[in-house]
Amino acid sequence: MNLIDIPVKAMETPTGMASALLAELNDHLHNLLKKGETHVIDLLSLPLNEADINELADLLGVGEVKATIKSIGSSSIRETAYSGIWWITHYGDDEKVLSELIEVTQVPEILVTHMDEVRHSAQVMASSLAGQEKVI
Amino acid sequence: MTEERVDKAETLGGSLISNGVSRRTFLKFCSTVASAMALPPAAAKAMAEKLSQATRQSVIWLSFQECTGCTESITRSHKPTLESLIFDFISLDYHHTLQAASGDAAEHAREEAQKKHKGKYILIVDGAIPVKDGGVYSTIAGITNLQMLQDVAKDAMAIVSVGTCAAYGGLPKANPNPTGAVAVSDIVKDKPIINIPGCPPIPVVMTGVLAHVLTFGIPELDSHGRPMAFFGDSIHDRCYRRPFYDKGQFAKGFDDEGARKGWCLFEVGCKGPTTHNACATVKWNNGTSFPIQSGHGCIGCSEPDFWDAGSFYKPLSTGSMNMEGWATGALAAGAAVGVASGLLNSNTKSKAEAKHEPVTLEDMGAKNE
Amino acid sequence: MNEVELLNWARGPGLAYATVFMVFGLTLRVLEILSLGRPKEYAKVRSSGVKEGFRTIIRRNLPEKHCWKYITATYIFHVGLFVVIFFFIPHTQLFKDVFGVFWDGWPNYIIDFFTILSIATMMYVLIQRRVNPARRILSRPSDYFVWLVTFLPLVTGYMAFHRIGPDYTLMLAMHILSVELLMVMLPVTKLVHAVTFAMARYYNGSNAGRKGVKV
């Protein structure tokens, strides 16, 4: 039996936090435009209920980019209808939400390949090429 | 293998990549931790950078008078969770519940780590320390908890008290405290101590604090030694049922109309207003829920002496002692003394009346008129 | 002693001692006063005094023309105190717990309104005590003490509920402790009028009536 199946539910109605957040995001978009400053809003640290989060998702809409990262659990990165505003959800191994962020940036940090990994893959590539040469 | 690669493997960043932990997983861990700790936005990236440059931190974990619930909490899952990644960042040199070695070998591992990383290791403690009768009530390998703590704490860089028992004495210290249990901070006075209370503490809180210590050092603490990031707000401050409290809508029982509507649990004993912890935001079991969300009041497990603060089911506005009969007793005693003093007074009164003499006009100086 | 220990003491032994002292003291005082009875009448009794007694209870509740503002203010804070003490939901839980009797509390916004009203009128009454020469002469240190003991629970309670001040746990402890001080002071100061006012007025009125004085 899941928590969902238990017929005890708190009644949730939007509190108006979503539109307040929209105003904040507007400021951050301008900051990104003028000063190149990026910003992250952590949705889980705000007193939002499910209805608020749904309302915010509706207000922001769906954009053209959607990326999925498979690490321990998955992560979903979506650009909203407002370019430069990204909605990021990190899931744990059992599909529970670990963190939910809104990032105001050109490319979310987590999508950028880190130079350490580029270096590592270059080494791997080099050794596999060396291996091929030997086989040939 | 080149010199450079050996160096790389020693830093966390290098060793994690070769162990198949991707940089993104790493960043995801850091952003989850940063989010949980309400760190500024740039912190996740900075934390990831710092952590990847760091070498593995030596950690000695001592378990004293405890139930292993704290260890269970952090290692609970058999699948690799994000929280358990912290074990890839540290070198857990001694944990007698988890380690493969036992007996003498285990104790040697501890002594070796103490020597090798003198002044640099982090000491994690779970459980209270019994000090009555020389501390005989809990011993490991013939060493009392008291001795072992003093010995290991001496050369530690910092101490993390995990769980309410280590932080404040917890259950062992509860009335009547038969073993004379005390908190770590009652014994060790000259080392920085971070308290992570809770019964048990939230896994990500433990992980977050450790990650913070590894990267940015000791986090800001409140007056009870708890990291402000997780314990700065009360459960009540962050409770999604708070609007019902403000409106005065309370569940009167666990199965009434109010309970079904998800109203505030104050009247059934919720201690949320006086309890500082992150349950309401971080939640439990990978964010599934927390006690109030599943219909039970907060019991206040991350506060000192919460076992002695009265019933978990009596409202915060009532007394913590069982007062049944006290008021009646006081009423009866007051009545008895009242009647007795009444009798005494009426005795005085009748004596006064007996002595009474009528006043004549002459007495009042009317003689000469 | 930190704020947690303070709260635990206030909710535990502190509350028990205060409750026992208050109930014991009030019972003792009421019974003692009642058992004193009346002095012997040496003059002819003109009336049973019952009518005059009840009249006085009511008459002394009516504001006098010359000081209606002051009396009205005292009324408001007495009503306010009554509402706040007996109808704030957490308080009803306390009465249920200690005395086993339960009634429904009122919504918080009503309690909030009466709290502010009581605080304001109590301030007004205090200022009047200082400003009015007659009242200033009549006021003794104990009057100011009694005012303070009544005022503190209101302010600390308001602050605790609205999360004003450094720490909720500390404010709640302060609120409960201030109430415990009030409870202890109730039987031993003029605050005892909370339970004796009706019988004292009845006594005075009926005494006058028996002597033939019109009230």
Side-chain angles (χ1 to χ4, degrees), chain B residues 145-160:
Chain B
N145 292 169
L146 180 62
Q147 278 175 316
M148 192 181 279
L149 175 63
Q150 284 166 336
D151 182 41
V152 182
K154 197 172 65 218
D155 295 322
M157 175 184 83
I159 300 173
V160 182

Side-chain angles (χ1 to χ4, degrees), chain B residues 224 236 245 267 317 320 349, chain C residues 3 11 36 89-90 93 163:
Chain B
H224 295 284
H236 186 71
Y245 173 89
E267 285 192 15
S317 62
S320 60
K349 203 169 115 186
Chain C
E3 79 281 0
R11 289 183 65 229
L36 274 174
I89 293 170
Q93 294 294 311
R163 301 292 189 283

Side-chain angles (χ1 to χ4, degrees), chain C residues 77-107:
Chain C
F77 94 69
H78 276 95
V79 170
L81 275 179
F82 182 82
V83 169
V84 170
I85 293 171
F86 292 103
F87 291 99
F88 183 43
I89 293 170
H91 296 170
T92 63
Q93 294 294 311
L94 177 67
F95 293 115
K96 183 179 162 192
D97 188 52
V98 179
F99 301 110
V101 280
F102 182 68
W103 56 89
D104 278 331
W106 291 354

Side-chain angles (χ1 to χ4, degrees), chain C residues 94-126:
Chain C
L94 177 67
F95 293 115
K96 183 179 162 192
D97 188 52
V98 179
F99 301 110
V101 280
F102 182 68
W103 56 89
D104 278 331
W106 291 354
N108 287 335
Y109 62 88
I110 295 181
I111 303 300
D112 227 25
F113 172 75
F114 277 102
T115 310
I116 293 169
L117 211 59
S118 303
I119 290 175
T121 44
M122 279 195 78
M123 300 283 280
Y124 172 77
V125 166
L126 179 72

Side-chain angles (χ1 to χ4, degrees), chain B residues 54-270:
Chain B
T55 50
R56 280 171 161 243
Q57 170 70 46
S58 168
V59 172
I60 297 179
W61 183 313
L62 300 178
S63 301
F64 297 144
Q65 223 173 4
E66 47 87 41
C67 67
T68 313
C70 300
T71 302
E72 279 289 335
S73 180
I74 198 169
T75 60
R76 170 193 43 80
S77 179
H78 57 277
K79 285 184 274 183
T81 61
L82 211 57
E83 286 100 321
S84 65
L85 261 186
I86 193 75
F87 289 114
D88 291 325
F89 306 157
I90 59 172
S91 160
L92 194 54
D93 292 330
Y94 177 83
H95 186 308
H96 77 235
T97 314
L98 296 179
Q99 68 196 152
S102 60
D104 266 358
E107 297 311 308
H108 282 311
R110 175 174 58 78
E111 283 158 16
E112 207 180 289
Q114 267 176 265
K115 258 185 236 151
K116 195 175 159 197
H117 304 286
K118 190 172 174 174
K120 280 186 269 177
Y121 57 84
I122 292 175
L123 168 60
I124 298 180
V125 181
D126 67 328
I129 302 97
V131 296
K132 200 171 158 190
D133 302 326
V136 295
Y137 298 108
S138 179
T139 61
I140 296 162
I143 308 163
T144 67
N145 292 169
L146 180 62
Q147 278 175 316
M148 192 181 279
L149 175 63
Q150 284 166 336
D151 182 41
V152 182
K154 197 172 65 218
D155 295 322
M157 175 184 83
I159 300 173
V160 182
S161 293
V162 161
T164 304
C165 295
Y168 309 126
L171 181 64
K173 194 194 162 210
N175 235 347
N177 192 2
T179 63
V182 298
V184 172
S185 56
D186 291 323
I187 293 167
V188 183
K189 301 284 184 191
D190 56 349
K191 297 280 170 184
I193 299 176
I194 303 166
N195 288 332
I196 310 180
C199 194
I202 304 172
V204 79
V205 173
M206 290 191 261
T207 323
V209 172
L210 284 178
H212 196 285
V213 172
L214 297 184
T215 50
F216 305 126
I218 290 165
E220 190 195 350
L221 306 176
D222 72 3
S223 62
H224 295 284
R226 300 175 291 204
M228 291 290 279
F230 292 110
F231 299 92
D233 291 322
S234 72
I235 297 293
H236 186 71
D237 289 335
R238 293 296 181 132
C239 182
Y240 75 100
R241 295 196 191 206
R242 175 70 183 271
F244 296 111
Y245 173 89
D246 291 336
K247 278 185 244 166
Q249 291 174 311
F250 299 105
K252 314 252 178 236
F254 292 107
D255 56 355
D256 69 348
E257 183 68 16
R260 272 188 286 277
K261 284 184 173 161
W263 287 355
C264 175
L265 299 167
F266 181 86
E267 285 192 15
V268 287
C270 182

